[in-house]
Amino acid sequence: FKAWPNPASDHVSLSGLGGSQRLMMLDILGRTVLDIPVSDDVLNIDVAYWPRGVYLVKFGRNGHWATRKLMLR
């Protein structure tokens, strides 16, 4: 899957999520900041008020997870 823009400042677009079941975003300390079910192939997330820093974006399907690093500035 793809996450852009990276680094981001006000929104993040995620694509290639087709068939995934869950999307999670974790801060650098491993705390879950977003955990939602996903049914669309493209998702836009408003991150304008999130604390700046590094996040991990994970999406899962059938017990398998893919992870990307995302920077918010």
Side-chain angles (χ1 to χ4, degrees):
F1 73 98
K2 295 180 183 179
W4 79 93
N6 192 6
S9 58
D10 58 352
H11 76 280
V12 175
S13 296
L14 305 167
S15 66
L17 303 175
S20 65
Q21 298 171 348
R22 178 146 311 282
L23 176 82
M24 296 177 67
M25 291 183 74
L26 297 92
D27 67 13
I28 196 66
L29 298 176
R31 296 177 296 205
T32 301
V33 294
L34 182 69
D35 185 354
I36 58 173
V38 176
S39 59
D40 297 328
D41 188 53
V42 177
L43 183 64
N44 294 302
I45 300 172
D46 180 0
V47 294
Y49 298 103
W50 290 27
R52 303 305 167 223
V54 177
Y55 290 81
L56 295 177
V57 181
K58 299 173 61 171
F59 88 91
R61 173 181 44 228
N62 299 326
H64 299 283
W65 291 88
T67 305
R68 300 287 184 273
K69 191 184 323 182
L70 176 68
M71 173 74 83
L72 298 185
R73 60 175 177 178

